[in-house]
């Protein structure tokens, strides 16, 4: 079959570091173009300053990977879907749940594939963790996701604005894993969101969830950690303790430890190709819904101003 001609809209750090190598490493795709109003694009790849220009002037594309900040994503996504173009949404899939639902309905109506891509679900330890937990009784879950925002998001003003999620931008990665590996759904009971005095989004959060059988799930998010970073999920069960470390890359269970290569974005693009070839979509909003619930139900407290 002919390769799927794909364009990347939003050619920032995540696109260059992850999307471009994953696309070039997958023979199901050919990188046809890039779009960004603030970037010159990639050597040897046609580039446009806007999606309007790409759609008007070409080259023709079958699919788009949308890597812009979530606040501006809906209009671009709706424009692409209206042209019958398959769509890959970098996480989070939208600024609101209603936006994503509207895109899902539009994709179904047009008959193209829409993929809400949760890259952390493709970390090496996640699939075996899901299989190991499937038949276990879950007693308690602890999520510690602490990192240094100055290292991972330097100068990114949009992430502190409404719709940018703040510390939930990395935190939603943890939620994408936990919603995938736990055998029962869970929901928010209480949350405290800590916002810098000069920012609209939280720099830290403490959350308590409960699954439908009553097991507590505690989540500790903080963007102020320096030194070693913490991306850990610990699940206590009737058969011992499971730990996913390094963002899901390393799995510890009572019988031993598993390590794996970083194949998250390779896995995403393999999944996207399968969806397109099969005429299907994959739009799971569970992680975004839990974040929305935190903003809906959480108590807000202020802390010192944050400056890059």
């Amino acid at each position: 079959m002919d390769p799927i001609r794909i364009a990347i809209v939003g050619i920032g750090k995540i696109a260059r570091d992850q999307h471009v190598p994953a696309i070039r490493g997958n023979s199901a795709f050919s990188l046809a173009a890039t779009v960004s109003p603030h970037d010159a694009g990639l050597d040897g790849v046609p580039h446009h300053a806007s999606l309007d220009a790409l759609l008007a002037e070409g080259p023709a594309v079958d699919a788009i990977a949308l890597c812009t900040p979530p606040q501006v994503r809906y209009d671009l996504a709706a424009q692409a879907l209206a042209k019958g173009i398959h769509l890959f949404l970098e996480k989070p899939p939208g600024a609101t749940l209603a936006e994503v639902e509207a895109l899902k309905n539009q994709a179904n109506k047009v008959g193209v594939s829409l993929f809400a891509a949760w890259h952390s679900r493709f970390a090496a330890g996640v699939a075996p963790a899901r299989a190991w937990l499937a038949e276990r009784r879950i007693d308690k879950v602890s999520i510690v996701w602490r990192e240094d925002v100055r290292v991972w998001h330097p100068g990114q003003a949009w992430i502190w604005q409404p719709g940018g999620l703040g510390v939930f931008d990395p935190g939603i990665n943890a939620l994408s894993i936990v919603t995938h590996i736990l055998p029962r759904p869970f929901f928010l009971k209480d949350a405290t969101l800590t916002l810098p005095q000069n920012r609209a989004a939280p720099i830290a959060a403490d959350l308590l969830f409960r699954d439908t059988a009553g097991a507590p799930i505690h989540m500790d998010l903080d963007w102020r950690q320096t030194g070693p970073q913490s991306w850990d999920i610990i699940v206590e069960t009737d058969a011992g303790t499971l730990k996913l470390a390094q963002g899901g890359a390393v799995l510890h269970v009572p019988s031993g430890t598993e390590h794996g290569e970083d194949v998250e974005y390779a896995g995403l693009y393999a999944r996207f190709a399968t969806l397109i070839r099969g005429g299907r979509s994959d739009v799971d909003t569970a992680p975004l819904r839990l974040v929305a619930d935190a903003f809906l139900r959480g108590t807000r407290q202020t802390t010192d101003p944050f400056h890059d």
Side-chain angles (χ1 to χ4, degrees), residues 45-87:
V45 179
H47 180 75
H48 291 285
S50 69
L51 181 56
D52 284 333
L54 171 64
L55 296 177
E57 302 169 21
V61 297
D62 307 302
I64 283 175
L66 199 49
C67 304
T68 65
Q71 296 98 322
V72 300
R73 195 171 293 167
Y74 173 79
D75 288 340
L76 296 169
Q79 184 180 8
L81 293 176
K83 295 292 186 180
I85 296 171
H86 306 291
L87 199 57

Side-chain angles (χ1 to χ4, degrees), residues 15 38 54 59 72 74 86-87 99 101-102 130 137 149 195 210 223 238 249 251 261 285 291 294 299-300:
H38 308 299
L54 171 64
V72 300
Y74 173 79
H86 306 291
L87 199 57
E99 284 183 1
E101 185 67 18
R130 177 184 169 98
R137 186 192 71 229
V149 64
L195 285 76
R210 193 190 79 188
W223 249 353
D238 58 335
L251 172 64
E261 298 179 19
T285 58
V291 172
T299 298
R300 288 162 174 78

Side-chain angles (χ1 to χ4, degrees), residues 3-300:
I4 300 162
R5 299 166 298 180
I6 188 168
I8 300 175
V9 177
I11 188 73
K13 180 175 172 54
I14 191 67
R16 291 177 179 274
D17 291 351
Q18 299 291 350
H19 288 261
V20 171
I23 290 168
R24 288 178 167 166
N26 188 325
S27 61
F29 293 95
S30 64
L31 182 55
T34 59
V35 174
S36 174
H38 308 299
D39 195 287
L42 307 171
D43 290 343
V45 179
H47 180 75
H48 291 285
S50 69
L51 181 56
D52 284 333
L54 171 64
L55 296 177
E57 302 169 21
V61 297
D62 307 302
I64 283 175
L66 199 49
C67 304
T68 65
Q71 296 98 322
V72 300
R73 195 171 293 167
Y74 173 79
D75 288 340
L76 296 169
Q79 184 180 8
L81 293 176
K83 295 292 186 180
I85 296 171
H86 306 291
L87 199 57
F88 177 120
L89 299 174
E90 181 51 272
K91 65 88 183 176
T96 69
L97 288 162
E99 284 183 1
V100 181
E101 185 67 18
L103 293 175
K104 180 180 177 180
N105 292 337
Q106 183 181 0
N108 289 340
K109 184 176 180 180
V110 174
V112 297
S113 296
L114 180 64
F115 182 30
W118 301 106
H119 65 83
S120 292
R121 287 183 174 176
F122 289 82
V126 172
R130 177 184 169 98
W132 193 87
L133 291 171
E135 298 181 357
R136 304 299 196 271
R137 186 192 71 229
I138 309 301
D139 295 328
K140 183 180 179 181
V141 181
S142 175
I143 305 162
V144 178
W145 224 255
R146 289 173 160 252
E147 62 182 44
D148 187 346
V149 64
R150 291 185 173 91
V151 171
W152 298 101
H153 299 280
Q156 295 184 14
W158 66 266
I159 214 164
W160 295 103
Q161 297 166 359
L165 298 188
V167 75
F168 285 101
D169 181 80
I172 204 170
N173 294 335
L175 290 173
S176 74
I177 294 174
V178 179
T179 53
H180 189 63
I181 65 173
L182 293 185
R184 293 186 297 269
F186 59 95
F187 50 90
L188 185 71
K189 294 296 294 179
D190 192 24
T192 300
L193 312 183
T194 302
L195 285 76
Q197 293 175 3
N198 60 334
R199 304 289 178 170
I203 197 168
D206 188 87
L207 306 101
L208 181 62
F209 304 93
R210 193 190 79 188
D211 78 5
T212 53
I217 302 167
H218 179 252
M219 187 174 198
D220 172 17
L221 302 177
D222 205 310
W223 249 353
R224 299 167 294 189
Q225 178 147 311
T226 57
Q229 311 284 273
S230 302
W231 301 294
D232 301 318
I233 298 168
I234 300 170
V235 186
E236 298 178 20
T237 79
D238 58 335
T241 299
L242 174 149
K243 180 178 179 180
L244 274 171
Q246 298 179 30
V250 179
L251 172 64
H252 305 277
V253 291
S255 60
T257 298
E258 295 185 27
H259 300 261
E261 298 179 19
D262 180 4
V263 294
E264 292 182 15
Y265 278 82
L268 286 177
Y269 276 95
R271 174 66 172 161
F272 191 35
T274 299
L275 292 172
I276 292 172
R277 301 301 192 200
R280 296 179 291 122
S281 291
D282 181 355
V283 190
D284 181 11
T285 58
L288 182 59
R289 185 167 62 247
L290 291 169
V291 172
D293 285 350
F295 280 93
L296 180 68
R297 187 167 184 177
T299 298
R300 288 162 174 78

